[in-house]
Amino acid sequence: MTPPRAARPTLAVVGATGAVGTVVLQIVSHHADIWGEIRLLASPRSAGRKLAVRGEEVEVVALDETALAGVDVALFAVPDRVAAQWAPLAAAAGAVVVDTSGVFRTDPEVPLVVPEVNPHAVRMRPHGIVASPHCTTLSMIVALGPLHAEFGLRELVLSSYQAVSSAGREGVRTLRRQLSLVAGTELGTSPGDLRRAVGDDTGPFPEPVALNVVPWAGTADRDGWSSEETALRRETRRILGLPALPVAVTCVRVPVVTGHALTVHARFENDVTVDRAREILATAPGVVLCDDPEAGEFPTPADVVGTDPAWVGRVRRALDDPTALDFFVCADNLRKGAALNATQIAELVVGDRGGGGGARGA
Amino acid sequence: MTPPRAARPTLAVVGATGAVGTVVLQIVSHHADIWGEIRLLASPRSAGRKLAVRGEEVEVVALDETALAGVDVALFAVPDRVAAQWAPLAAAAGAVVVDTSGVFRTDPEVPLVVPEVNPHAVRMRPHGIVASPHCTTLSMIVALGPLHAEFGLRELVLSSYQAVSSAGREGVRTLRRQLSLVAGTELGTSPGDLRRAVGDDTGPFPEPVALNVVPWAGTADRDGWSSEETALRRETRRILGLPALPVAVTCVRVPVVTGHALTVHARFENDVTVDRAREILATAPGVVLCDDPEAGEFPTPADVVGTDPAWVGRVRRALDDPTALDFFVCADNLRKGAALNATQIAELVVGDRGGGGGARGA
């Protein structure tokens, strides 16, 4: 029996008007209605706007300490500097914070949680903060987790095909502006023609992204690796509990609006078979297997945008290594890659409470 | 001293009006003028057209046995079925055939040649036919060859970002039509919207390629691998003389007009250093090193279109394996990937003749 709303936990969506916050509101409107109040917080600039949640209009409130009072779970979908300032305050006010920013992902005392893969980790949150991984990690980890559980992961080589919307609304606007410049032209066929047409209008990207691919995402980390590449390695190791897993990855931006894709070459402790890998993927939570290329069945970003799962196709055993699998995986970087995973963590937190008591875990 | 044209070898360009043939004519017009007559052959439909070569107008002649008489080197840039029929006839008429189609690449008695990597192989041509590799192989092999020579290649994991022009002019037309449909719209953000907008207009591709990436190129080979993936493995092994090299590869089409890119994870027999790898790449023939990501220096397809070399960037040592390098490589799939490599082979063939004697080798 569902308790009445007044007896149910309060969810605050911090950054409710942003790209990820907007998707969070759609998702909580469609999931089982486990929340009492859903409070929408944003910058003072957005206060007073009304947004639809669960079929009702809810007014956006400015983020301040008063607005955080009585919140059980605070889902943060805000830029790093806002999260760094406000997430600890929300936790101090008694909320469990679920944060989608990059601020807390590297903190060993903040669990990094993917509900399908390491749900147990959500309980160990000494600071009252739980982090949701980077969208690129999330786009492939729900497929990799169950394969690791079966075969024992030993090494990983990844290449990404990353959509522009993970660079925010300005990423999307930049691609659309550039597409309008190149459509109906013969651009892309002579040296420098794209760069001349686009000029300085590269937005958040270092190079034109329309009719191009850009092998650089994030900032410089160390030894030539980008921050997104080292994050993908570090987060995969943490979520799978494999602190020494060899991971090589190249992150590449592609002219896709939404839907991250990755090629995965995974070597395991034991011999693999494609049949067993397909069985595992076909029944894994959060995964859809779409794998009959001769019949045109493989996932593409255009297929997965707006959907929840990670879609897997092109599952093959390496021709020269009976312990290795190659596959292609695609997921919506705004849903599973951000809003959906954070909402699932929030649901896991209140599910773990057993319906009563403090939201903060051990 | 250059001999007069009458004393120099005759080159026939078969398929002179096609996408690759057109680029061959540009290239021979800019390279050292080693040819006597340059004869332009094509289907009867194109006969009588005039094309510019070396600053002169040359009339296109219909491909038949008469047109092949007296030819020293016949460069074939035609579809597979035309090459299968006419290349043996041209060889029987005394020409050395340099073929860019897929027909002869798997024949152990037809050498597969990349002049920067295995020039010696051009001499062993018992059928008078030399094959130029697939454009995806050519886009990365000139960078890989010298690294193999230094460190000893032991394993390769590749992912491709393949331009539409390697699917011919219809590939380019398809992308441009789809771009005109999606520019100025909000497409690419909800399930199935791209597919509905594009309808059946997917041209030579199984899925929409604008605002999308498509993890399938070629036809089905075996065990879920595509023909382009197994070709990349087979050709790399052959060109490098490593018949048992483990190669895993996923080929993915991207919405780029011209310029193939690949991510490369290469494991070697010996420990590698990035400094030594960069030295090798900076001096390797046919390679340009462009590698300072913090300063915005890395190659993209938009940079390399219309240029001859393979451009390499993002050179890193694997963080967990002192014997492995990761890098990103980009080349013009119509130039080095087809027309340029074939022209280089033709030049190598006549260079090997020492200026006289029969063109056919041992």
Side-chain angles (χ1 to χ4, degrees):
Chain A
M1 220 176 67
T2 314
R5 271 201 186 167
R8 289 186 246 157
T10 294
L11 173 70
V13 180
V14 185
T17 58
V20 172
T22 304
V23 181
V24 168
L25 302 191
Q26 293 168 14
I27 292 171
V28 295
S29 300
H30 288 93
H31 279 201
D33 187 15
I34 62 166
W35 303 105
E37 183 189 356
I38 296 183
R39 204 175 293 174
L40 309 187
L41 309 184
S43 65
R45 190 165 40 89
S46 297
R49 280 181 58 188
K50 290 198 173 163
L51 300 174
V53 190
R54 296 183 294 192
E56 299 159 18
E57 294 284 294
V58 179
E59 187 169 320
V60 176
V61 177
L63 171 61
D64 59 24
E65 303 218 21
T66 317
L68 289 168
V71 170
D72 293 287
V73 179
L75 193 163
F76 274 68
V78 293
D80 282 7
R81 62 175 176 75
V82 182
Q85 180 185 353
W86 285 96
L89 294 173
V96 176
V97 169
V98 179
D99 184 48
T100 62
S101 83
V103 175
F104 302 102
R105 286 178 190 144
T106 56
D107 185 334
E109 297 199 323
V110 172
L112 190 67
V113 176
V114 184
E116 294 90 341
V117 182
N118 65 341
H120 50 88
V122 83
R123 297 183 182 178
M124 302 293 284
R125 47 177 194 259
H127 299 294
I129 302 175
V130 180
S132 188
H134 194 278
C135 53
T136 316
T137 309
L138 283 168
S139 297
M140 63 89 193
I141 198 82
V142 286
L144 199 59
L147 293 172
H148 165 56
E150 174 80 7
F151 299 122
L153 192 61
R154 193 156 58 97
E155 192 190 353
L156 209 50
V157 182
L158 305 168
S159 295
S160 77
Y161 301 70
Q162 296 182 220
V164 297
S165 62
S166 73
R169 285 183 167 148
E170 190 48 32
V172 177
R173 279 193 289 259
T174 298
L175 174 57
R176 296 217 189 271
R177 274 197 307 265
Q178 294 179 354
L179 280 182
S180 296
L181 291 171
V182 304
T185 72
E186 294 296 309
L187 290 168
T189 50
S190 66
D193 64 353
L194 263 177
R195 196 184 297 254
R196 279 190 299 276
V198 165
D200 294 330
D201 184 22
T202 62
F205 310 116
E207 297 290 327
V209 70
L211 292 181
N212 207 16
V213 304
V214 181
W216 187 253
T219 55
D221 192 341
R222 61 190 173 98
D223 301 331
W225 294 81
S226 74
S227 60
E228 297 218 358
E229 290 161 352
T230 54
L232 194 43
R233 171 170 170 268
R234 186 176 53 240
E235 294 182 3
T236 301
R237 289 173 155 194
R238 244 192 114 181
I239 296 161
L240 298 181
L242 293 170
L245 181 72
V247 181
V249 50
T250 303
C251 285
V252 180
R253 187 80 58 183
V254 296
V256 166
V257 177
T258 295
H260 279 3
L262 294 102
T263 59
V264 180
H265 177 77
R267 193 196 311 259
F268 297 92
E269 298 289 347
N270 305 305
D271 280 11
V272 297
T273 68
V274 167
D275 285 349
R276 183 70 190 122
R278 286 202 177 119
E279 271 176 28
I280 292 163
L281 292 166
T283 54
V287 176
V288 171
L289 181 69
C290 171
D291 191 16
D292 185 359
E294 287 186 73
E297 296 289 319
F298 43 75
T300 75
D303 300 314
V304 312
V305 61
T307 73
D308 285 349
W311 296 61
V312 180
R314 304 295 326 278
V315 182
R316 295 150 286 160
R317 193 164 83 163
L319 291 168
D320 307 303
D321 181 351
T323 70
L325 282 174
D326 289 273
F327 61 90
F328 183 82
V329 58
C330 236
D332 185 318
N333 50 292
L334 299 179
R335 293 180 74 89
K336 185 59 192 175
L340 174 63
N341 197 68
T343 307
Q344 288 174 302
I345 295 173
E347 292 166 351
L348 187 61
V349 165
V350 296
D352 257 22
R353 296 199 314 168
R360 187 173 307 179
Chain B
M1 220 177 69
T2 315
R5 271 203 186 166
R8 289 185 246 156
T10 295
L11 173 71
V13 180
V14 185
T17 58
V20 172
T22 304
V23 181
V24 168
L25 302 191
Q26 292 168 15
I27 292 171
V28 295
S29 300
H30 288 94
H31 279 200
D33 187 15
I34 63 166
W35 303 105
E37 183 189 357
I38 295 182
R39 203 175 295 174
L40 309 187
L41 309 184
S43 64
R45 189 164 41 88
S46 297
R49 281 181 57 187
K50 291 198 172 162
L51 300 175
V53 190
R54 298 182 292 191
E56 298 159 18
E57 295 283 294
V58 179
E59 187 169 321
V60 176
V61 177
L63 171 61
D64 59 23
E65 303 218 20
T66 317
L68 289 169
V71 169
D72 293 286
V73 179
L75 193 163
F76 274 68
V78 293
D80 283 8
R81 62 174 177 76
V82 182
Q85 180 185 354
W86 285 95
L89 294 172
V96 176
V97 170
V98 179
D99 184 48
T100 61
S101 83
V103 174
F104 302 102
R105 288 179 190 143
T106 56
D107 185 333
E109 297 198 323
V110 172
L112 190 68
V113 176
V114 184
E116 295 90 340
V117 182
N118 65 341
H120 54 270
V122 83
R123 298 183 181 177
M124 302 293 284
R125 46 176 194 259
H127 300 293
I129 302 176
V130 180
S132 187
H134 194 278
C135 52
T136 315
T137 309
L138 283 167
S139 297
M140 63 89 192
I141 199 81
V142 285
L144 199 59
L147 294 172
H148 165 56
E150 173 80 8
F151 299 122
L153 192 61
R154 193 156 58 98
E155 192 191 353
L156 209 50
V157 183
L158 305 168
S159 295
S160 77
Y161 301 70
Q162 295 181 221
V164 298
S165 62
S166 72
R169 283 182 168 147
E170 190 48 32
V172 177
R173 279 193 289 260
T174 298
L175 173 59
R176 295 215 190 272
R177 274 197 307 265
Q178 293 179 355
L179 279 182
S180 296
L181 290 172
V182 304
T185 72
E186 295 295 309
L187 290 167
T189 50
S190 66
D193 64 353
L194 264 176
R195 196 186 297 255
R196 280 191 299 275
V198 165
D200 293 331
D201 183 21
T202 62
F205 310 116
E207 296 290 327
V209 69
L211 291 182
N212 206 15
V213 304
V214 181
W216 186 252
T219 55
D221 192 340
R222 60 188 174 100
D223 301 330
W225 294 81
S226 75
S227 60
E228 297 218 358
E229 290 161 352
T230 54
L232 193 44
R233 172 170 169 268
R234 186 176 53 241
E235 294 182 3
T236 300
R237 288 172 156 195
R238 246 192 112 182
I239 296 161
L240 298 181
L242 293 170
L245 181 72
V247 181
V249 50
T250 304
C251 285
V252 181
R253 186 80 59 184
V254 296
V256 165
V257 177
T258 294
H260 280 2
L262 295 101
T263 59
V264 180
H265 177 77
R267 192 195 311 260
F268 297 93
E269 298 289 347
N270 305 305
D271 280 10
V272 297
T273 68
V274 167
D275 285 348
R276 184 70 189 122
R278 287 203 177 118
E279 271 176 28
I280 292 163
L281 292 166
T283 54
V287 177
V288 171
L289 181 68
C290 172
D291 191 17
D292 184 359
E294 287 185 73
E297 295 290 318
F298 43 76
T300 73
D303 300 314
V304 311
V305 60
T307 74
D308 286 349
W311 296 60
V312 181
R314 304 295 327 279
V315 182
R316 294 152 287 159
R317 193 164 85 162
L319 291 168
D320 308 302
D321 182 351
T323 70
L325 282 175
D326 289 273
F327 61 90
F328 183 82
V329 58
C330 236
D332 185 317
N333 50 293
L334 298 179
R335 293 180 75 90
K336 185 60 192 175
L340 174 63
N341 197 67
T343 306
Q344 289 174 302
I345 295 172
E347 293 166 350
L348 188 61
V349 165
V350 295
D352 256 21
R353 296 198 315 168
R360 187 173 307 179

